[in-house]
Amino acid sequence: MIQHSFQVSYNEYSSVEELSDSDKLLAEKAREACKSAYAPYSRFHVGAALKLENGVVITGNNQENSAYPSGLCAERVAVFAASSQYPGVAIESIAIIASTEVFKLSQPITPCGSCRQVLAEYEHLAGKPIRTLLIGNNGSVWIIEGVNQLLPMMFEGAQLKKS
Ligand code: THU
């Protein structure tokens, strides 16, 4: 028997004020996008803003639907928009933030499994890590230097190819 293990690490900042100007701007864009989320069912609003390596910033927010599974998370709205408008351009970073009047969010939210898988595929394709900035409402920010940290043993497209 061989035991394998993964180590995951992230940096925690106590406020967005500690971030670089470009990270602060991305956090601000995500916050702005969060305001126009369409989330009448969960009342859980999420905003995402990603920066491409060509400098373009693309935002997204969650889009819900009365047929519940038909909706989409903020991260995938942003990532799919980026890939459709700028195919093949690497994503440098993504900022994610949530807000809800229903309960108090005590820490930054982390992307769901499906969003991790989608982000990880574009990261893998580009061969460069996507810095992931999780922006909390109480000021704290968690930065993960690559989606591979969030999804070890991701499912890879290469496994679909016939030998
Ligand atoms: N949601 C996101 O947009 N991103 C996440 O990372 C977690 C969840 C959305 C999906 C749904 O519209 C609402 O938040 C509640 O799950």
Side-chain angles (χ1 to χ4, degrees), residues 23-54:
D23 283 353
K24 250 187 250 174
L25 186 74
L26 208 59
E28 198 37 55
K29 295 263 183 196
R31 200 184 295 279
E32 208 46 51
C34 190
K35 291 181 191 158
S36 38
Y38 175 61
Y41 305 104
S42 69
R43 293 162 69 194
F44 191 83
H45 296 223
V46 185
L50 60 83
K51 190 174 172 205
L52 297 173
E53 69 176 349
N54 63 7

Side-chain angles (χ1 to χ4, degrees), residues 10-11 31 71 75 78 85 92 105 128:
Y10 64 96
N11 295 327
R31 200 184 295 279
E75 296 89 325
Q85 291 167 41
E92 274 182 2
L105 286 166
K128 294 173 190 167

Side-chain angles (χ1 to χ4, degrees), residues 38-39 42 44-47 61-64 72-75 96 109-112 115:
Y38 175 61
S42 69
F44 191 83
H45 296 223
V46 185
N61 44 39
N62 52 332
Q63 298 295 317
E64 296 185 349
L72 201 61
C73 293
E75 296 89 325
I96 303 159
I109 66 148
T110 55
C112 78
C115 289

Side-chain angles (χ1 to χ4, degrees), residues 2 11 14 16 65 69 71 77 82 96 100 107 126 136 142 144 150-151:
I2 305 170
N11 295 327
S14 54
V16 281
N65 190 273
V77 169
I96 303 159
T100 175
Q107 58 183 43
W142 300 347
I144 300 110
L150 289 173
L151 192 65

